[in-house]
Amino acid sequence: MRIPRTKLWTLVGGIFLAQGAIQMFGALPLWNQNYKPKGQVSSNLSPDQMILAFAGMREMIANILWVRADTFFDQGMYDAVLPIIRLTTWLDPRAIDIYATGMWHIGYNFTDEQSRSDRRYIPSALALGAEGSRNNPETYEMFFETGWIWHHKIADGFPKAVYWMEEARKRPDLPPARGNILSMAYQRNGELDKALDLMYKQYDAAAKRVLEGGEYGDRNQRDTVGNNINVMLGRMSQRGAFAKPGEKPPVPFDTDPKFDVGFTAQVTIPEPAQLRIRATWNVRPVGTRVRVILRDADYPNAIPGGMVWDATNEVALDPPKNLTYMQDDNLFFRNRRADKTIDMSRDPTMYPLVSDKYYLEFYYNPRIAPPHIQDKFSWSGEGMTAKPEFLNTEIREGQRVVFYRMELTRDMLRRTGDWLDKVPVFATPYFEEDRVRNTDDNLIQVPGILAEP
Amino acid sequence: MSVILSIASTTLGEAIRRRVLLVILLIALGSLIIAPGLSVLQPRGQQAAITSLTMGIIQMTSALIAIVLTVYMIPNEIERRTIYTILCKPVQRWQFVVGKYLGAVAALGMMIFFMTLVLIFVTSLNSGFDIARVQELVKGPFMYFWQMAILSAVAMMFSTFVTPLVNFFLSSGIFIAGTVFSSVFQSFMENRGTNELTKTLASAVQYIIPNFALYNVQNPIINPGQEIVNEFGYYLQSVGYALLYVVGLLVVAILIFDRREV
């Protein structure tokens, strides 16, 4: 039988057209929707990694790499872990544990000699969390982890913590106890009604589970939330949260009268890249921590007392090397004074100090104060005041915070130029070095079992 | 038809007797059995990693078997001159090509079937027998079968005019291009920053080279719980795509082999 060659070549042409049509308009769009690996594998891996990855073993390779990263953790080689985090999450965008651990590692583990973390990494940690939540939208975990970084590590930008925690709560797999943290985030965000409302919902849900024969965890959750509701109602009542505008209570709220925190500070630079800070604070009970920030005056996305931390979507393995951002959240006051030396000289890669101009900022926000301090100041500083130079009601909407900024130069910080032989000393207004010693005036009265009736 | 089936069954028998293929199969089966023993992985990701590994073993082994099985098929017949004893009978060349191909695909299907059985056994041994899970698991090897059917057709087509060694690299190259670089071509096509010439070239390559990546459906198997849209329709289109491609390649192979001096 003779083969009709022309007809067959025509058939081949037709078949190729048909296969192209099926591929482009039918199978490929569905494959992209259903089966295509998420993430950015194809554009970020080297060819050899891609071959292995697309050979169908992406998750396996990701796991092997992650096991290798564990060794680096143990050896303290934190830098080496970063590329592995990036690679493994590209290879396996469903690896929630790697995303969560990676976020924590980037956000917390790069510290200076005095255990201050490198805040320049925080945007990358948040970007990794956002990417992880995009790639794993069906579970609460990455939403919660990202919210936790906002709530705990950043402790600022409170609406962001609320947003991520709310997203986590939309997922049905959120453990009940973790839902309680959203209530705390609401409080920090000044949304007291929402915080209380959520507590009631959490309580009702736990009580229902107990009635249906729930386990120990359900009873524990019910009792915990019940206790939290009692405490919250007490605090809201004592702090005047239920007061109608203009109403004068028979007994003054704990926030009345406003207490002057008496903040002042003096900064000296005894050695290059060292700040000695002495400060006053009239609150006698311990628990006050003032945030100290030293940063380039033109640090990108910086705001007074912090930064717009999620301004970028990029997970950068290296922080901006020529920029300086030092944040110390632990200027701790005891006996109404603080004396702390912040030594940046031993970490030049973290604090390069190459810009000409710097801001040194002091920032205190009652929203993150411990409850016994909040009992007087309330959540938004209603019971707190300070000298006009320090009290600020603008940099955080609806909040009364303490904020003061000084300007420094590179020569001052590095003790070069005009400051080679001179010790730079700066003080805020009203700073009196002897004032905080052995004086009993202006003490805060914290209600408690030892308080006068 | 009986001629084609007769050549196919002979080819299947030959394939089963070839030691190199059996060795590859045994290595694959051994790997599948020991894969769950990898307990050093992160606890939560362990199941996903093991499923990923076992799927990868099946896919890579199948590809290797498909290429090794097919590249020698026609050249060996010519070299050993056994082809004369076939073609001197009332057997058309196209029947010979089609029979050889069907025999190779049958052998391939049988080997994938064995590997799937081992996969099910090992998975059930580790996490208990669950019919729903098994139904999910077999989707992977099922689609690999069609992927390898196309790969075999590619190798068969090349085997009509190139030597086995060249064919091995050509077929492997096309398989890699159709799996690994499918996403790359696609990203070229979709990226707004890519210039028009590159886009056109990427589209052309994507259009011409068989898209093996269409048969990589293991993602939802490895990470269950994902929402799959129109799964049946997708499988239907993918199988249709494979059949069309195979027919097209076999016709080209027939056309080339028909003019070849043997």
Side-chain angles (χ1 to χ4, degrees), chain A residues 74-368:
Chain A
D74 292 343
Q75 293 169 350
M77 296 165 66
Y78 293 152
D79 287 338
V81 178
L82 284 180
I84 296 183
I85 290 170
R86 189 61 289 199
L87 193 56
T88 47
T89 47
W90 279 334
L91 281 168
D92 185 4
R94 312 280 297 176
I96 293 166
D97 290 340
I98 300 177
Y99 270 118
T101 314
M103 266 185 87
W104 154 75
H105 176 59
I106 293 173
Y108 284 76
N109 276 359
F110 293 92
T111 59
D112 64 13
E113 293 286 331
Q114 292 179 320
S115 299
R116 278 177 296 270
S117 64
D118 191 341
R119 300 270 164 171
R120 298 173 302 173
Y121 277 110
I122 297 278
S124 289
L126 290 174
L128 192 66
E131 182 188 306
S133 56
R134 278 196 304 276
N135 288 336
N136 299 278
E138 70 286 345
T139 177
Y140 79 96
E141 292 192 52
M142 287 315 300
F143 296 95
F144 181 84
E145 297 292 343
T146 311
W148 180 253
I149 290 262
W150 277 104
H151 182 78
H152 177 257
K153 181 68 184 174
I154 296 173
D156 202 357
F158 307 117
K160 296 293 173 62
V162 165
Y163 167 78
W164 287 102
M165 294 283 182
E166 279 183 340
E167 286 297 315
R169 196 166 180 273
K170 287 175 188 170
R171 272 73 188 172
D173 59 338
L174 178 77
R178 290 201 165 190
N180 300 346
I181 295 176
L182 173 57
S183 191
M184 306 305 293
Y186 278 139
Q187 289 182 55
R188 283 193 173 182
N189 199 31
E191 298 179 286
L192 305 179
D193 290 341
K194 278 190 177 178
L196 192 59
D197 185 51
L198 178 62
M199 284 179 185
Y200 280 120
K201 284 178 182 162
Q202 293 279 88
Y203 181 85
D204 289 345
K208 190 178 171 204
R209 287 195 300 275
V210 170
L211 281 176
E212 289 166 354
E215 297 172 353
Y216 171 76
D218 297 315
R219 288 194 296 279
N220 198 23
Q221 164 76 352
R222 179 198 60 187
D223 297 345
T224 302
V225 179
N227 185 55
N228 287 351
I229 290 172
N230 284 337
V231 172
M232 181 72 178
L233 286 171
R235 284 178 179 159
M236 287 177 75
S237 173
Q238 288 178 316
R239 297 175 191 178
F242 295 125
K244 291 173 183 165
E247 184 184 40
K248 194 166 176 67
V251 179
F253 295 126
D254 290 349
T255 51
D256 286 335
K258 288 180 174 52
F259 184 82
D260 187 344
V261 294
F263 172 74
T264 64
Q266 183 201 55
V267 180
T268 56
I269 304 175
E271 298 289 336
Q274 281 186 8
L275 302 171
R276 185 185 176 193
I277 298 169
R278 291 191 293 170
T280 65
W281 189 262
N282 281 344
V283 180
R284 183 176 286 279
V286 293
T288 297
R289 288 177 167 85
V290 168
R291 178 175 294 173
V292 181
I293 295 171
L294 176 80
R295 65 170 171 87
D296 295 350
D298 57 352
Y299 197 97
N301 305 309
I303 57 171
M307 202 195 290
V308 181
W309 296 99
D310 57 350
T312 176
N313 277 328
E314 188 192 357
V315 182
L317 298 184
D318 289 318
K321 286 181 178 166
N322 291 325
L323 298 178
T324 300
Y325 190 101
M326 185 283 299
Q327 181 172 321
D328 189 314
D329 284 344
N330 207 16
L331 183 61
F332 187 70
F333 288 84
R334 186 178 285 113
N335 292 333
R336 299 185 295 147
R337 59 177 176 261
D339 187 344
K340 178 168 192 169
T341 299
I342 295 173
D343 186 358
M344 298 174 287
S345 63
R346 286 183 287 175
D347 302 279
T349 55
M350 201 163 147
Y351 309 116
L353 298 173
V354 294
S355 294
D356 293 330
K357 193 176 159 191
Y358 297 86
Y359 287 150
L360 178 66
E361 296 177 340
F362 295 94
Y363 176 74
Y364 177 80
N365 190 337
R367 288 273 174 90
I368 54 171

Side-chain angles (χ1 to χ4, degrees), chain B residues 108-231:
Chain B
L108 197 56
M110 203 172 69
M111 290 177 186
I112 291 177
F113 177 71
F114 280 134
M115 286 191 278
T116 308
L117 282 184
V118 173
L119 172 70
I120 293 168
F121 175 73
V122 168
T123 309
S124 304
L125 212 58
N126 275 284
S127 47
F129 183 77
D130 176 8
I131 189 70
R133 180 70 183 144
V134 170
Q135 281 173 352
E136 281 301 305
L137 274 179
V138 297
K139 287 175 185 171
F142 172 75
M143 291 303 265
Y144 293 153
F145 170 75
W146 292 103
Q147 190 178 46
M148 299 314 151
I150 301 177
L151 181 60
S152 295
V154 170
M156 176 66 83
M157 191 266 288
F158 283 132
S159 75
T160 57
F161 62 97
V162 297
T163 60
L165 188 65
V166 176
N167 190 355
F168 181 85
F169 288 109
L170 266 176
S171 303
S172 304
I174 286 187
F175 183 66
I176 290 168
T179 46
V180 177
F181 295 110
S182 170
S183 295
V184 180
F185 294 140
Q186 216 179 317
S187 59
F188 274 139
M189 287 155 60
E190 289 163 1
N191 194 338
R192 287 179 191 171
T194 312
N195 64 52
E196 283 306 313
L197 181 67
T198 314
K199 270 187 186 179
T200 312
L201 280 174
S203 305
V205 174
Q206 178 86 340
Y207 192 83
I208 293 165
I209 289 182
N211 192 343
F212 292 106
L214 290 179
Y215 302 90
N216 290 341
V217 295
Q218 62 268 44
N219 267 350
I221 302 170
I222 294 166
N223 299 294
Q226 297 179 42
E227 192 187 343
I228 304 296
V229 179
N230 192 12
E231 189 178 31

Side-chain angles (χ1 to χ4, degrees), chain A residues 26 32 34 58 63 97 141, chain B residues 42 44 186 207 219 229 237:
Chain A
N32 285 336
N34 291 333
R58 293 183 307 117
N63 267 275
D97 290 340
E141 292 192 52
Chain B
Q42 47 156 334
R44 184 163 45 177
Q186 216 179 317
Y207 192 83
N219 267 350
V229 179
Q237 290 182 46

Side-chain angles (χ1 to χ4, degrees), chain B residues 33-80:
Chain B
I33 289 166
I34 62 166
L38 294 164
S39 56
V40 292
L41 307 170
Q42 47 156 334
R44 184 163 45 177
Q46 194 161 322
Q47 190 56 47
I50 289 169
T51 312
S52 153
L53 176 65
T54 48
M55 288 285 165
I57 290 170
I58 292 178
Q59 189 181 26
M60 289 217 289
T61 312
S62 304
L64 195 60
I65 290 174
I67 294 174
V68 171
L69 182 66
T70 326
V71 292
Y72 287 104
M73 215 154 255
I74 290 177
N76 268 5
E77 295 280 359
I78 296 170
E79 196 180 318
R80 287 194 235 137

